[in-house]
Every structure is written in C-alpha cells, then in structure tokens.
Amino acid sequence: DVKVTQSSRYLVKRTGEKVFLECVQDMDHENMFWYRQDPGLGLRLIYFSYDVKMKEKGDIPEGYSVSREKKERFSLILESASTNQTSMYLCASSRRAGRGANVLTFGAGSRLTVL
Amino acid sequence: AQSVTQLGSHVSVSEGALVLLRCNYSSSVPPYLFWYVQYPNQGLQLLLKYTSAATLVKGINGFEAEFKKSETSFHLTKPSAHMSDAAEYFCAVSSSGNTPLVFGKGTRLSVIA
C-alpha cells in the first residue's frame, strides 16, 4: 500500500526550540508539499518542492524552512518555534506528470503544540 | 489567482437524506477541481477530481460532483447520507496539472440518526 509517512503524530515543544517534521513517501513522486491546517482556515500551503534540492515558497512560509536532500524525503523546519505555530501539519506528494498528476496523497498529519 | 469558497462551515443532515456541499471557485484558466475528505484523526483522501473530461464526476463512496462553468461551481452531492459520511470535506482548485492546489476552508458534515 503506497503511502506518505510523517514521523511524528503528536509533538509538544517549547517556545524557541528548533523543530523538525519529517515526511517520507514511497511512491517515487516528484512533488512534495507541506500544508498547515487550522480550524476555520482550511489548509494553507507553507512550502513545496518539485525536485530534489528544489523548494518554493507557498502562501505562508514565514517562520519555516524546508529541506529536500532525497527524492522521497521532505522535511519542514521551524527554526524557533512560537505559540502561533501550534497547528496540524500535513505533508503530501504527487506525480509531476501523466496519469494522476496533481492528485495529492496525504500523510496522517503531525499535530504540533508549542508551549 | 485561484481561490475556492465553500459555503457553510458545518452542514447537518439526517441519515438517508441528500447531501449537498457547495463549492465555488475562481480561476483565470480552465481549472482542475478536487474534493477531498478527512475523517477524524486522519489525513485527507481524494474523493473525486474534474480534469475537463465529463462535467459530472463520480467518486468513491457514492459521491459525485458536477462542474458548472457558467456558475463557477463544483458542488458535491450524495443521494443518501450514511453515518460513515460524517467527516470534513475540502474543495480544491488548481490552474494546471502541476501547480499547487488551493484549498477551501472546509465543510464539516454531521449525519444524524
């Protein structure tokens, strides 16, 4: 069964800590995405990547960075966590072209609480 | 720029009743449109997608959606609600096959026995 795996389902961190959220997909997808989900706001795009070592800013990149050193892995980094980054973080991947392009496969999510 | 508006943050229906979840989009080019569903404590999964083929799109679990260009709408329907349909539903739009999806704010569907 193909899937997107997010390493941590629940995290609790303190203000100012550096936080790493890891995402791995086993579908050989070119594209990978990080969204955050907040009640009443839906999903908002943080960063995305169309290839290894490539990254593009989404709609709300402030306070975040990403790393994509391998095709299957896309990491989201909070350099200095703040309470307003308490949220559900969703990783997704998709094919670049052909059948199924732009169809996102999502991970189960990582719920981050910053105290 | 693309955008999606989902009318109604919460919809409640009785079991066996029609489900109608509304989605209107804004796109400067012919859009790709999607509906995703999120069950509690899970990620999103694809219900159906429109990619300029048939305007009536059938998805999983008995759901379907109709693309109406004149109304810029892509409403999701199911003839008869089941308790297991209780979830949050998201409409999304993309302007091409390889641009990030823009999601609506979601509609939570409750099904009453």
Side-chain angles (χ1 to χ4, degrees):
Chain A
D1 191 21
V2 295
K3 59 184 178 182
V4 176
T5 303
Q6 295 185 229
S7 56
S8 303
R9 288 299 307 272
Y10 301 95
L11 304 94
V12 180
K13 299 292 182 181
R14 296 207 174 273
T15 301
E17 280 193 76
K18 191 169 186 176
V19 181
F20 292 87
L21 300 180
E22 306 286 345
C23 175
V24 177
Q25 50 94 5
D26 64 2
M27 296 164 283
D28 200 34
H29 283 173
E30 294 84 4
N31 304 337
M32 296 190 75
F33 306 84
W34 276 105
Y35 289 88
R36 67 176 279 177
Q37 180 181 10
D38 299 288
L41 298 179
L43 277 72
R44 292 179 291 167
L45 182 63
I46 304 172
Y47 268 96
F48 58 102
S49 169
Y50 286 151
D51 205 344
V52 176
K53 297 192 184 295
M54 291 180 63
K55 60 183 180 182
E56 300 282 346
K57 291 181 179 180
D59 299 317
I60 53 164
E62 296 79 18
Y64 303 95
S65 62
V66 290
S67 172
R68 193 162 182 206
E69 296 295 319
K70 293 184 177 181
K71 187 176 185 180
E72 67 272 17
R73 186 180 298 270
F74 193 36
S75 302
L76 180 69
I77 303 155
L78 287 67
E79 295 290 342
S80 178
S82 63
T83 54
N84 62 14
Q85 293 178 309
T86 292
S87 186
M88 170 70 86
Y89 291 88
L90 294 169
C91 176
S93 69
S94 70
R95 294 181 60 186
R96 177 184 299 159
R99 184 180 177 88
N102 217 9
V103 175
L104 298 180
T105 300
F106 281 87
S110 297
R111 185 169 294 281
L112 172 67
T113 301
V114 182
L115 302 176
Chain B
Q2 311 148 82
S3 65
V4 168
T5 301
Q6 291 185 240
L7 298 175
S9 59
H10 183 209
V11 171
S12 185
V13 300
S14 299
E15 193 173 19
L18 172 72
V19 175
L20 171 60
L21 303 182
R22 299 178 187 274
C23 173
N24 288 90
Y25 69 91
S26 172
S27 177
S28 58
V29 298
Y32 293 76
L33 292 160
F34 304 80
W35 276 99
Y36 283 82
V37 60
Q38 185 180 35
Y39 298 104
N41 298 315
Q42 296 185 25
L44 280 70
Q45 64 184 82
L46 181 70
L47 265 181
L48 50 82
K49 63 177 180 177
Y50 167 78
T51 55
S52 77
T55 56
L56 183 63
V57 182
K58 294 188 182 298
I60 62 172
N61 301 337
F63 284 94
E64 61 183 35
E66 186 173 8
F67 172 69
K68 291 187 176 181
K69 183 178 179 180
S70 60
E71 299 177 8
T72 60
S73 68
F74 191 57
H75 302 332
L76 182 71
T77 61
K78 182 174 180 178
S80 177
H82 192 273
M83 298 297 289
S84 61
D85 295 327
E88 189 151 22
Y89 293 79
F90 293 92
C91 183
V93 65
S94 174
S95 61
S96 75
N98 206 32
T99 56
L101 269 62
V102 174
F103 285 84
K105 294 183 178 181
T107 297
R108 184 163 60 91
L109 175 67
S110 297
V111 182
I112 304 167

